[in-house]
């Protein structure tokens, strides 16, 4: 708990130093229950963002960011726009996430689903019963935000999971079945253009991208697993 308090203080200091004309208090969602929390395009502008201690909330970060940390969230749903750096979930349970980033990390997360765009292998640590699917998000100007975050929409390693605590048998993680997968997790905004998703879906998940994808990180894929 003390380490988290110190980390929070350090991150808040960094937010204050880095924020470009945006008050640090507007770059945090904290201590909320049963709420819908939204940041619209133009309200984050490539800054860091923090999310702490939410329960049963719907969270929409509809802008590009530098990095995001998310701690102690339960029974929440997230739609997170492109992040140039890392998105790090810690100590969360029963969450559903759609997110795009350069690096995706989990630690001490259980019973949760993630639909990802990640340019590197997503990593998990001391996490169990987590499932992954391809990126399914959409909102106005999402294509522009991918460019602002310097993310190439065709370079998605969502299924190449690296597990720091790989069990002797089976996996701590799996892929979402098509019956569990929601093809469009879109958010419309009044007065803006229609939601858009510039990332193609694999045909295995109802899309048009007819290419095999690797299941598991290099060196951890079981018998060279590949879905085609």
């Amino acid at each position: 708990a003390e380490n988290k308090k110190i980390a929070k203080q350090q991150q808040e200091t960094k937010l204050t130093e880095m924020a470009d004309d945006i008050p640090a208090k507007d770059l945090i969602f904290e201590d909320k229950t049963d709420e819908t929390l939204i940041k619209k395009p133009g309200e984050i502008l490539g800054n860091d963002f923090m999310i702490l201690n939410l329960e049963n909330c719907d969270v929409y970060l509809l802008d590009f960011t530098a990095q995001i940390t998310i701690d102690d969230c339960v029974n929440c749903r997230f739609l997170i726009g492109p992040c140039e750096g890392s998105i790090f979930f810690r100590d969360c349970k029963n969450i559903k996430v759609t997110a795009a980033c350069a690096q995706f990390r989990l630690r001490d997360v259980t019973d949760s689903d993630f639909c990802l765009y990640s340019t590197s292998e997503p990593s998990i640590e001391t996490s169990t019963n987590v499932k992954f699917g391809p990126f399914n998000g959409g909102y106005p100007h999402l294509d522009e935000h991918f460019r602002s975050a310097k993310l190439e929409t065709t370079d998605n390693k969502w299924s190449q999971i690296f597990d720091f605590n790989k069990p002797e048998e089976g996996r701590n993680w799996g892929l979402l079945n098509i019956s569990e997968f929601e093809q469009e997790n879109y958010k419309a905004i009044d007065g803006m253009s229609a939601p858009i998703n510039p990332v193609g879906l694999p045909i295995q998940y109802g899309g048009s991208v007819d290419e095999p994808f690797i299941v598991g990180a290099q060196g951890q894929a079981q018998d060279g697993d590949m879905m085609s």
Side-chain angles (χ1 to χ4, degrees):
E2 184 63 25
N3 288 339
K4 282 188 180 180
K5 182 179 179 181
I6 294 172
K8 178 188 173 186
Q9 291 171 343
Q10 292 173 339
Q11 186 69 4
E12 287 176 338
T13 299
K14 185 178 179 183
L15 288 177
T16 301
E17 293 172 347
M18 294 185 62
D20 182 14
D21 298 325
I22 299 176
K25 66 180 180 62
D26 292 334
L27 296 171
I28 302 175
F29 288 146
E30 182 178 17
D31 299 330
K32 305 291 185 183
T33 302
D34 298 323
E35 292 191 31
T36 296
L37 307 170
I38 184 167
K39 289 293 180 181
K40 298 178 182 178
E43 293 185 346
I44 304 176
L45 294 176
N47 285 291
D48 291 359
F49 203 91
M50 292 176 59
I51 298 175
L52 305 165
N53 193 31
L54 306 184
E55 183 173 357
N56 196 33
C57 290
D58 294 309
V59 180
Y60 299 93
L61 301 186
L62 310 182
D63 206 351
F64 68 100
T65 55
Q67 67 176 11
I68 302 171
T69 56
I70 301 170
D71 294 306
D72 299 298
C73 293
V74 179
N75 299 331
C76 294
R77 294 146 297 279
F78 298 85
L79 173 56
I80 301 175
C83 178
E84 185 175 351
S86 67
I87 298 176
F88 195 3
F89 282 84
R90 298 175 293 197
D91 299 293
C92 296
K93 182 178 181 180
N94 193 28
I95 58 175
K96 294 184 180 295
V97 177
T98 293
C101 56
Q103 182 186 46
F104 188 83
R105 303 168 61 194
L106 301 180
R107 189 176 70 204
D108 298 317
V109 174
T110 60
D111 304 326
S112 298
D113 297 344
F114 302 89
C115 294
L116 297 183
Y117 167 94
S118 179
T119 60
S120 59
E121 296 173 343
S123 65
I124 68 174
E125 183 176 357
T126 54
S127 297
T128 57
N129 194 29
V130 289
K131 295 183 180 181
F132 294 87
F135 184 79
N136 62 346
Y139 63 82
H141 306 298
L142 177 57
D143 53 343
E144 300 171 20
H145 293 166
F146 266 91
R147 292 192 290 270
S148 296
K150 303 180 180 64
L151 300 180
E152 171 55 56
T153 58
T154 59
D155 184 23
N156 191 1
K157 296 180 174 62
W158 65 273
S159 60
Q160 299 179 39
I161 313 302
F162 183 89
D163 188 352
F164 283 96
N165 305 100
K166 189 175 183 295
E168 292 184 4
E169 295 184 4
R171 290 181 172 135
N172 293 315
W173 60 274
L175 300 187
L176 288 167
N177 295 322
I178 186 63
S179 61
E180 300 172 302
F181 179 71
E182 180 184 4
Q183 284 193 340
E184 293 185 355
N185 182 14
Y186 285 11
K187 180 64 174 178
I189 302 175
D190 291 343
M192 291 191 176
S193 56
I196 184 174
N197 178 6
V199 180
L201 283 176
I203 58 173
Q204 297 89 341
Y205 286 87
S208 59
V209 178
D210 190 10
E211 296 178 1
F213 55 85
I214 298 170
V215 180
Q218 290 186 356
Q220 288 195 346
Q222 294 184 354
D223 301 321
D225 288 353
M226 182 171 289
M227 294 289 291
S228 59

